Amino acid sequence: DDDSLKILRNIKSLPRAVSVTLDGLTFDETRQMMVQCWADERMKGVTENIAYNLFQRSNGSPFCIKTLAYAFKETNQWQYNTQGIVTTKTYDFDFGKLSISSEIQSIAIAQFDRLNANFQLLLKIASALGQRFCVNDAFHFLKEMPGLLDQFKYPNLSEVCNVIRQFDKFGYLQQILLREECLYFEFKSAVVRRCIYSMMIDSQRSLMHMSIAQHYEKLYETTNDPELLKLIYKHYNATDDSQKKKKIKYLEKVSHLYYVLHDIEKTVKHYEILFEWVDRNGLQSKFEKATVAMWHCELGESYYALGRLDNASNHLTQALALLDRSLPRNRFLLSLCTKKEAFVRSQFKVASLTESLSSLSFRDSGWNRLNLSVQSLGKRESSSSHSARSQGSGIIFSNTHTKAEDDYTSGIVPQSKAFFSREIQDRHFYTMRAMGVLSIIYNLTGAMPESTYTGFRAMNIAEKFPKLPNYAAHLATVGLIQWSAQRKRGPALRYLYAADKADSKADRSTSIAVLLLTGRALFLMGMFSESLHRYQMAMKIAPRQLTLFQREEGLRYQAVILYLTGPLPLATSASKEFLAQSSLEGRSVGQFWGCYLMLANLLSSQSGAPEVRGMMQSMESSWQAVPAEVSATPSIRLARLGLLTLCDDALDMVVPSAARLRELEALSRALGPHDWRGTLGLHHAARVIVSAHQHGLISTDPADRRPLETFLSSAAKALDRMLTVAPARPLASVYCGLCSLIVSKSKPSAVRRWKAGLALAEVKELNYFKGLLLELVGSVSDDQDEANKCSVDALTIYQEIGAVADCERLTRLSRQRS
C-alpha cells in the first residue's frame, strides 16, 4: 500500500549503515581495566607478568578480564611493592588455576550446545591438547570416524581451515601462522578452553590425556624433538595413578630440559615436584646415586641463580654426599684436606700462570692485558662456533651432563679414558660442578675455609679436563679465593689473567661467570674502574642469559662503585636502573638496595626534605619485604642503620642517640672480616659524627660520650679485621683518627692517622673517602697552610664527584672559621 511505499522510501533515504567489528582490549587497556577493577587507592599498576597472563587468558574480553582480576585478588597471593605496583608473592604463581565464574561457564555452555556436533567433538579434543594445537594431532584421534573426516574434508588442510571457520559461529578459534608444515589453531580465550574442557568427566579426560601422551611418545621416537618432552609430561601428569612411572620418567626429563634451556623458575618447580614424588612414593632406591646427585646439582645451581643461597647450598651438599664426596666434618679435617688440595694445586702448571705479570702492579693503569678476551667478545658473539657452544650450556657454569658425555667420548682428553671408568668420570664431573658453585656461595657468605677447600678441589678436578668450557670459571673462582680468603695478591692476579685467556674457549654462560667473579675480586682488591668495566661488560654481552641473581649483583656493584668513586649523577642513574629492574622482577632484596642507593645519592646531592623522606619511606617499606635470613645479616642491618642515621642528621641536625650508638656498636662487633656491605653504613655514620664534631654538638659529659667512644672503638677494630676489603682500609683510618681525636683528645695522632689513610693505594679511586680524609685533616690540623690546602682539595673532590651537600657543608665551615 501507499503507507508501506512511503516507509520504504524513507528507509532508502537514510544514510547507509556502518558495520563495526568489536575487538578485544589491547594489552595496555587490559592493565588499565585491572587497575579499575582492583578499586584500591594504593594500587598504581600491575607488573607486566600479571597483565600479560590475564591478557592472554581473556583475549582482551572485558568480561573475562574483570572475572580473572577478581579471582586473582581473592587468592591473596599478591602484594604491593614500594611503588604501589601489584606483584605476585611467589615467582611461580599459576594463573591457569584461577577460578572461573558461573556466569561465564553458563554462557560458554549455552553457546557450545548450539554448535555442530562433530565440531563439538573436535573442540573437546582440542581443549585437551592445549591452548594451541596442531590440526593433524586433533584429527589423529578422529581417524576412526571416516564420516567426520569427510565432513571436515581432511587431509586437505586449506579446506579444513574453511570448514572450521564455517562451524565456529562464536569465534572460539583462530588460525596462527607458524613455520611448521602443520596447520595450527589456538583458542582465543583460555577461559573458554577451560569451560569446554570441564564439560568432560574425569575418566574421559584421563583417557584422552593418556592417548595424547602415547601419540607424542611415538612422535618423539622418530623426531627426537625435545619440545615434545614437555607435552608428553604434561599429558601423562593429567592421567590417573596407573601411569605413575611414566609421570616420574618424563618429569625427570623435563626438569633437565628446563635446566638446559636456562628456564630457572621452571627448573626449580619441576625438580621440587620430582623430589616430592620420589620421596612420597619411596622410590629413592630405584635411581642410581649419580642420577639423584645430578638432580641435586641442577636444582642447587638453579636456586643459586635465583639468589636463594641456603637452598642452593643444601642441595649441592646433598649431591656431594650421594657422590661420597662430603665436606670434612670438622675444622681440623677441613684444614688438612685444604692443605692437600693446595699441594695438588701447586703441581699443575697452567701456562698462563707461569707468565711474568710483574707489570700488573696495583698502581698500573695497564690492566688491558686482563681485558683481552673482553674486547674480543663482540667478535665471538656472532661466530657460529660460539653459538654452537652456547647451546646446551648450564645455568651458572657451562656443561650439562650431555656436554660432558660428548667431551669424554670424543677424545678431547685421551688420558681420561685410560684412567677413569664411566662411573668415575660422572663422579668427577658432578663433584666439580657442585664444589664449584658451593665455593662461590661460601665466599659470598663469608665461610672462607669451606670456600677455599671446595674451590681448590673443583679446580684440581677441572685440570684433568682443561678443554671443558667451564675451566675458565674455575680459574676465576680460585683467583677470587686467592685474594678474599688468603690475601695473596700476586697469585690472585695471575689466576684472573689465566681465566681471562681461557675465556676465549668458553660459551656465554661461562663468560658471564668469569666477568662477574673477576669483577668481584677486583672490587675487593681496590681496582674499582676495572671492576666496573667487568660488570658493565657482563651486563652487555648477553643480557638475556643473565640469571636474576647475576643481574642483581651486576647492577648493585655498578651502583656502589659509582657512589664510592663518583660522579654521583652516574651513580644516581645506575641506582634508578637497579631499582626499576628489581621492581619489575619483584625482587625484594634488590628493591631494598635500589632504594638504599637512591637515598644515599639524594642525601649527597642536597635534595629537598620531601624527596628524601619519600625515598626513606620506600626503603623502609621494601625492608619489610626482605626475607628474614637476609634482614638478619649484621652487615646489611648496619648499612641500613648507618644510612638512617645520616637521614636523621640531614633532616633534623640531631646527634645520634645513645640507643642508636649502642645498636651501631653491637652491629659493628658482629661484622665478619669479609662483610664489605657494612662499610657503607660505617661511612654514613662517620659523616654524621664528623658533622657533629665540626658543629660542636658532641657532649663533654663522660657518661654521655661513652656510647660514642665505644662505637668508634668497635668500628675501628671491625674495619681493621677486613684485610681483604679495599674500602675498609681508608675507612679504618677515618675511625682510628676519630678515636684519637674524640677518645684520646690527641689532634696530632688523629692527623697522623688520616694522613696515613691518604697514603693508602686503595684511596686513589675512592673519591668519597679521600674527600672525607682531606676534610678531616683540614678541620683539625694546627698547620694553617696544610689545613687550607686540604680543605680546598676536599672541596675540589666533592665538586668533581657532585657531592653538593658536602660542598655546601664544607663551604659553611670555611666561612665560620674565616
Side-chain angles (χ1 to χ4, degrees):
D1 56 0
D2 294 340
D3 292 337
S4 299
L5 290 173
K6 186 177 180 180
I7 293 172
L8 181 61
R9 292 191 193 97
N10 291 336
I11 292 174
K12 289 184 176 180
S13 65
L14 293 173
R16 290 188 175 273
V18 178
S19 177
V20 178
T21 301
L22 296 178
D23 293 326
L25 300 183
T26 64
F27 176 75
D28 290 334
E29 291 169 343
T30 299
R31 298 181 78 162
Q32 294 174 12
M33 184 172 183
M34 189 171 180
V35 173
Q36 295 172 359
C37 294
W38 207 262
D40 189 339
E41 294 181 354
R42 294 176 296 170
M43 183 189 186
K44 306 302 179 184
V46 297
T47 60
E48 287 193 13
N49 178 48
I50 296 175
Y52 175 78
N53 275 281
L54 265 64
F55 176 69
Q56 288 293 315
R57 283 163 172 74
S58 65
N59 193 39
S61 167
F63 187 46
C64 292
I65 293 171
K66 184 177 180 180
T67 300
L68 292 174
Y70 288 151
F72 176 61
K73 189 174 183 180
E74 290 174 357
T75 62
N76 290 322
Q77 295 300 310
W78 52 271
Q79 60 188 3
Y80 292 113
N81 66 13
T82 54
Q83 284 76 42
I85 305 297
V86 173
T87 66
T88 56
K89 288 184 178 180
T90 58
Y91 62 86
D92 57 351
F93 180 80
D94 189 356
F95 288 89
K97 294 183 178 179
L98 292 177
S99 60
I100 302 174
S101 67
S102 58
E103 293 88 348
I104 291 181
Q105 292 181 351
S106 299
I107 294 172
I109 292 173
Q111 291 177 340
F112 186 82
D113 290 340
R114 295 169 61 187
L115 295 174
N116 177 278
N118 289 332
F119 186 60
Q120 289 180 358
L121 183 57
L122 178 64
L123 286 176
K124 287 183 177 180
I125 295 173
S127 69
L129 285 169
Q131 187 71 18
R132 176 183 296 181
F133 63 93
C134 173
V135 168
N136 288 339
D137 291 339
F139 281 104
H140 170 79
F141 302 100
L142 300 172
K143 59 185 178 182
E144 296 181 0
M145 302 175 64
L148 186 147
L149 296 181
D150 292 340
Q151 185 176 11
F152 280 92
K153 301 181 180 179
Y154 185 80
N156 188 329
L157 295 183
S158 60
E159 292 295 333
V160 168
C161 187
N162 292 331
V163 174
I164 288 177
R165 290 197 185 100
Q166 178 184 346
F167 286 158
D168 190 12
K169 297 179 180 179
F170 303 105
Y172 287 164
L173 304 176
Q174 63 181 4
Q175 183 182 356
I176 55 175
L177 301 177
L178 297 176
R179 293 182 179 179
E180 288 85 350
E181 295 180 358
C182 181
L183 176 65
Y184 277 86
F185 277 86
E186 71 175 359
F187 286 90
K188 291 182 179 179
S189 171
V191 175
V192 171
R193 186 189 76 84
R194 283 183 60 191
C195 289
I196 295 174
Y197 180 75
S198 63
M199 295 177 190
M200 296 183 286
I201 61 176
D202 291 342
S203 58
Q204 288 178 323
R205 292 199 291 257
S206 179
L207 289 173
M208 177 64 69
H209 283 295
M210 186 170 66
S211 299
I212 295 172
Q214 291 170 349
H215 168 62
Y216 284 139
E217 272 187 304
K218 294 178 182 178
L219 289 179
Y220 180 70
E221 290 174 0
T222 57
T223 63
N224 202 30
D225 181 4
E227 289 297 316
L228 287 173
L229 290 175
K230 301 177 186 178
L231 297 175
I232 296 171
Y233 164 68
K234 170 188 171 183
H235 290 290
Y236 270 128
N237 190 40
T239 60
D240 54 29
D241 289 341
S242 64
Q243 302 299 316
K244 186 182 300 181
K245 291 184 179 179
K246 291 279 190 178
K247 291 180 183 180
I248 294 179
K249 173 185 175 181
Y250 285 103
L251 175 57
E252 179 193 7
K253 290 179 179 291
V254 167
S255 301
H256 178 67
L257 176 63
Y258 281 125
Y259 170 83
V260 173
L261 296 175
H262 292 199
D263 196 333
I264 302 168
E265 289 85 358
K266 290 184 179 178
T267 300
V268 170
K269 175 182 177 181
H270 286 80
Y271 266 126
E272 287 290 3
I273 296 173
L274 176 60
F275 279 115
E276 181 187 349
W277 279 10
V278 169
D279 292 341
R280 187 174 63 219
N281 294 284
L283 300 175
Q284 296 89 338
S285 59
K286 302 294 184 181
F287 298 93
E288 295 181 359
K289 287 185 176 181
T291 300
V292 182
M294 182 194 76
W295 300 350
H296 281 293
C297 270
E298 296 186 352
L299 180 55
E301 289 184 25
S302 301
Y303 271 128
Y304 171 76
L306 293 173
R308 298 166 66 178
L309 303 185
D310 289 341
N311 299 83
S313 177
N314 178 44
H315 283 284
L316 293 170
T317 304
Q318 290 185 61
L320 292 175
L322 288 167
L323 296 168
D324 299 324
R325 293 292 186 271
S326 298
L327 299 181
R329 295 185 298 275
N330 55 56
R331 289 291 179 185
F332 177 72
L333 286 177
L334 182 63
S335 177
L336 286 180
C337 293
T338 302
K339 289 180 179 179
K340 175 187 174 182
E341 296 300 331
F343 174 76
V344 175
R345 178 91 292 272
S346 66
Q347 304 305 303
F348 289 100
K349 302 297 182 183
V350 182
S352 52
L353 295 185
T354 62
E355 296 184 13
S356 173
L357 294 180
S358 58
S359 60
L360 287 177
S361 64
F362 184 86
R363 297 177 183 275
D364 182 21
S365 61
W367 180 256
N368 294 330
R369 296 179 65 190
L370 189 61
N371 293 324
L372 289 175
S373 70
V374 178
Q375 296 169 359
S376 63
L377 275 173
K379 299 177 183 178
R380 291 195 284 118
E381 283 186 65
S382 59
S383 66
S384 58
S385 60
H386 190 278
S387 300
R389 280 195 299 269
S390 65
Q391 293 179 1
S393 60
I395 291 176
I396 307 303
F397 294 162
S398 176
N399 287 336
T400 60
H401 181 63
T402 304
K403 177 63 178 172
E405 289 177 352
D406 294 341
D407 290 335
Y408 288 135
T409 56
S410 63
I412 288 180
V413 190
Q415 65 270 28
S416 67
K417 292 188 176 181
F419 294 108
F420 301 129
S421 67
R422 183 50 201 253
E423 180 182 356
I424 295 177
Q425 290 174 3
D426 285 346
R427 184 175 298 177
H428 276 304
F429 177 67
Y430 294 124
T431 301
M432 176 183 66
R433 280 176 56 181
M435 286 196 170
V437 181
L438 266 177
S439 179
I440 300 174
I441 294 173
Y442 287 139
N443 198 279
L444 285 171
T445 55
M448 292 305 168
E450 291 83 357
S451 177
T452 304
Y453 168 70
T454 52
F456 279 179
R457 178 64 178 152
M459 184 73 252
N460 290 337
I461 297 174
E463 289 288 4
K464 297 179 176 66
F465 315 106
K467 293 189 178 181
L468 294 180
N470 65 2
Y471 181 74
H474 291 292
L475 287 171
T477 304
V478 174
L480 175 63
I481 292 169
Q482 291 282 4
W483 173 251
S484 61
Q486 300 191 326
R487 205 189 172 198
K488 296 179 179 179
R489 187 178 199 82
L493 289 174
R494 289 196 291 272
Y495 270 99
L496 295 178
Y497 177 55
D500 206 69
K501 289 191 66 177
D503 186 32
S504 61
K505 305 173 185 177
D507 62 5
R508 286 195 181 101
S509 294
T510 303
S511 294
I512 291 170
V514 169
L515 288 168
L516 293 176
L517 290 167
T518 305
R520 191 183 309 156
L522 295 176
F523 172 83
L524 295 173
M525 295 167 73
M527 307 174 76
F528 299 105
S529 59
E530 290 84 2
S531 175
L532 179 63
H533 177 63
R534 285 284 158 145
Y535 282 113
Q536 289 173 338
M537 288 301 301
M539 303 300 291
K540 289 179 181 178
I541 62 169
R544 292 185 179 179
Q545 205 157 339
L546 285 164
T547 67
L548 296 178
F549 187 57
Q550 287 175 334
R551 186 182 297 109
E552 184 177 305
E553 177 189 354
L555 292 171
R556 180 172 63 247
Y557 270 93
Q558 285 185 64
V560 169
I561 292 171
L562 287 170
Y563 173 74
L564 295 175
T565 62
L568 291 183
L570 284 180
T572 303
S573 177
S575 301
K576 283 182 179 178
E577 181 185 359
F578 182 23
L579 177 58
Q581 188 69 36
S582 300
S583 299
L584 181 64
E585 295 171 352
R587 294 182 62 80
S588 57
V589 177
Q591 290 176 46
F592 165 73
W593 277 110
C595 292
Y596 178 93
L597 292 166
M598 278 294 299
L599 181 56
N601 284 288
L602 289 175
L603 290 169
S604 299
S605 59
Q606 197 63 29
S607 297
E611 191 174 3
V612 171
R613 285 194 173 92
M615 187 53 66
M616 185 167 60
Q617 184 178 0
S618 296
M619 184 186 77
E620 290 301 278
S621 176
S622 62
W623 176 255
Q624 301 302 320
V626 171
E629 63 270 17
V630 177
S631 60
T633 307
S635 60
I636 298 180
R637 291 175 60 195
L638 180 59
R640 167 180 167 268
L641 197 62
L643 186 59
L644 291 177
T645 304
L646 183 60
C647 287
D648 294 340
D649 176 70
L651 295 174
D652 303 313
M653 287 298 291
V654 296
V655 180
S657 65
R660 174 65 60 85
L661 288 170
R662 279 192 287 269
E663 191 174 358
L664 288 169
E665 185 267 335
L667 292 173
S668 299
R669 279 192 288 106
L671 282 180
H674 308 283
D675 289 340
W676 68 266
R677 293 167 297 191
T679 61
L680 299 175
L682 291 176
H683 173 235
H684 301 317
R687 291 170 63 190
V688 176
I689 295 170
V690 169
S691 176
H693 180 268
Q694 289 170 342
H695 290 88
L697 300 177
I698 296 179
S699 174
T700 57
D701 184 0
D704 293 339
R705 290 163 61 93
R706 190 168 295 114
L708 174 60
E709 294 172 352
T710 306
F711 164 63
L712 291 175
S713 177
S714 296
K717 291 177 181 178
L719 292 166
D720 279 335
R721 291 195 299 268
M722 297 184 186
L723 300 177
T724 58
V725 179
R729 296 190 65 196
L731 195 57
S733 298
V734 171
Y735 274 90
C736 288
L738 289 172
C739 284
S740 298
L741 180 66
I742 297 174
V743 180
S744 305
K745 299 182 180 179
S746 173
K747 286 187 179 182
S749 176
V751 171
R752 186 168 60 253
R753 290 180 180 276
W754 292 329
K755 285 183 178 179
L758 288 168
L760 292 171
E762 289 89 343
V763 85
K764 179 180 179 181
E765 293 185 66
L766 289 171
N767 291 316
Y768 224 140
F769 290 5
K770 186 177 181 180
L772 182 59
L773 286 166
L774 287 168
E775 178 186 347
L776 285 167
V777 174
S779 64
V780 174
S781 177
D782 292 328
D783 186 338
Q784 194 60 38
D785 292 336
E786 181 183 54
N788 291 335
K789 182 180 183 303
C790 288
S791 296
V792 171
D793 290 345
L795 184 61
T796 302
I797 288 177
Y798 287 148
Q799 289 173 343
E800 288 177 352
I801 65 175
V804 180
D806 297 276
C807 287
E808 293 184 359
R809 176 174 49 80
L810 195 56
T811 302
R812 286 196 302 269
L813 289 172
S814 299
R815 289 173 182 171
Q816 291 174 6
R817 293 196 194 101
S818 61

